[in-house]
Amino acid sequence: MKPILESPIITDICDMTANMYRLGWDERNGGNISWLLDEGELADYLDLSKTIRNIPIDFDAAELAGRLFLVTGTGKYFKNVTKDPEGNLGIVRVAPNGRELELLWGFEGNTLPTSEFPTHLMNHMARLKADPEHKVVMHCHPANTIAMTFVHSIDDRDFTCTLWQMITECIVVFPDGVGVVPWMVSGTNDIGAATADKIKDCRLVVWAHHGIFGTGRTLDEAFGLIETVEKAAEIYMKIAHLERKNEIPKDQLKALADTFHAVPREGWLD
Ligand code: 2HA
Ligand code: ZN
């Protein structure tokens, strides 16, 4: 077996969590990531027949039975992942009954997966139906995106159209738009279901007054989506209280999308 700490899976997640911490998106234990892995990616690094312990989950994830995930630990700080991957990360497999996770690596010191793992698993189920190549769910607390949910309509279409008008590239990067879940208690199956219901149609969901979920086929895709929303929200927060003298005409957004072969959410530009 090759040392797992040298695998691209672990080095990439260490780089990503450190970068997100430095961007100020993951204060204290804020944020969490889960990454659907292929057995083939892990086979050289881990004996997949050895379960360290079983971890119960309190909803039915049978749809994902046998699937492997790298996931960040509950209460853990993104800033500390690189110096202690085994204590802050775990690799788990969803058990055949869909009610337990089999821990295959990490989560040393009896650590558990992120408190938002129900939302993560529900998001994975929803995105896999939309895109069989989907792999990553990423959650964090970027300040401008959160700020915008206090002062702007949180209707999905209104919120998205404002973001699209903030930076020319937005409609090209996320033509599928952004869903917004009104404030709810986090860490619950209910917020997981509400999030999955929106994320089935778009790769990004904002939690009002809390943070954002980005998804994608790679860590970079999920990160890049969040990064672009946060930049657009930053511009919105800089100009929201100022007199606006110019803007990207809404009717030109369609032309922009056409030029870059992006298909905006049906009816949202009408
Ligand atoms: O993992 O971000 O939403 C800590 C959180 C909870
Ligand atoms: Zn959070």
Side-chain angles (χ1 to χ4, degrees):
M1 288 276 157
K2 296 194 218 165
I4 191 163
L5 294 184
E6 289 168 22
S7 70
I9 296 160
I10 302 299
T11 55
D12 284 359
I13 196 107
C14 287
D15 288 349
M16 182 56 76
T17 47
N19 185 34
M20 291 172 75
Y21 172 69
R22 282 280 154 223
L23 286 166
W25 297 354
D26 296 277
E27 74 293 338
R28 199 174 181 271
N29 63 320
N32 30 74
I33 299 176
S34 63
W35 185 1
L36 179 56
L37 304 173
D38 291 330
E39 282 191 17
E41 280 178 291
L42 278 174
D44 289 346
Y45 299 99
L46 204 57
D47 178 353
L48 298 173
S49 67
K50 282 203 187 123
T51 300
I52 300 169
R53 62 187 151 96
N54 282 17
I55 300 170
I57 41 178
D58 71 355
F59 77 98
D60 185 0
E63 236 178 277
L64 295 170
R67 297 287 200 139
L68 296 159
F69 293 93
L70 174 67
V71 56
T72 52
T74 187
K76 299 298 177 181
Y77 292 24
F78 272 26
K79 85 181 175 59
N80 296 338
V81 174
T82 302
K83 65 182 177 204
D84 180 19
E86 296 97 326
N88 289 282
L89 304 169
I91 294 175
V92 297
R93 180 171 47 215
V94 179
N97 64 13
R99 291 272 170 185
E100 284 178 329
L101 303 170
E102 299 161 348
L103 177 64
L104 302 175
W105 174 84
F107 288 158
E108 285 181 355
N110 235 13
T111 299
L112 295 171
T114 167
S115 59
E116 306 299 1
F117 208 44
T119 295
H120 279 249
L121 290 178
M122 291 182 209
N123 283 348
H124 282 294
M125 292 182 205
R127 287 310 304 163
L128 281 166
K129 288 187 188 112
D131 176 11
E133 290 182 57
H134 156 86
K135 292 249 185 316
V136 174
V137 172
M138 182 181 281
H139 168 64
C140 57
H141 302 163
N144 294 288
T145 303
I146 298 170
M148 189 166 157
T149 66
F150 286 90
V151 297
H152 192 283
S153 154
I154 55 166
D155 171 77
D156 297 343
R157 177 178 168 168
D158 291 348
F159 199 87
T160 298
C161 287
T162 295
L163 294 172
W164 282 346
Q165 284 186 287
M166 288 301 108
I167 313 177
T168 299
E169 71 163 349
C170 281
I171 198 166
V172 180
V173 174
F174 53 94
D176 44 343
V178 176
V180 188
V181 172
W183 189 87
M184 291 174 72
V185 176
S186 50
T188 62
N189 290 352
D190 285 350
I191 200 170
T195 310
D197 188 47
K198 302 229 173 198
I199 221 157
K200 68 182 184 349
D201 300 315
C202 55
R203 293 162 296 163
L204 285 155
V205 167
V206 168
W207 277 358
H209 326 319
H210 180 139
I212 187 166
F213 278 84
T215 64
R217 296 178 174 185
T218 61
L219 285 179
D220 269 354
E221 183 184 356
F223 173 84
L225 287 167
I226 294 173
E227 185 179 34
T228 308
V229 167
E230 172 60 4
K231 180 78 165 281
E234 180 179 358
I235 293 168
Y236 177 77
M237 293 308 297
K238 282 185 200 292
I239 64 166
H241 55 294
L242 302 174
E243 184 193 349
R244 218 173 289 183
K245 302 208 166 157
N246 310 289
E247 62 181 11
I248 306 174
K250 213 166 166 185
D251 61 0
Q252 288 297 301
L253 287 173
K254 180 84 184 72
L256 183 60
D258 286 348
T259 304
F260 289 93
H261 311 293
V263 182
R265 204 59 174 266
E266 179 80 47
W268 281 17
L269 286 177
D270 299 341

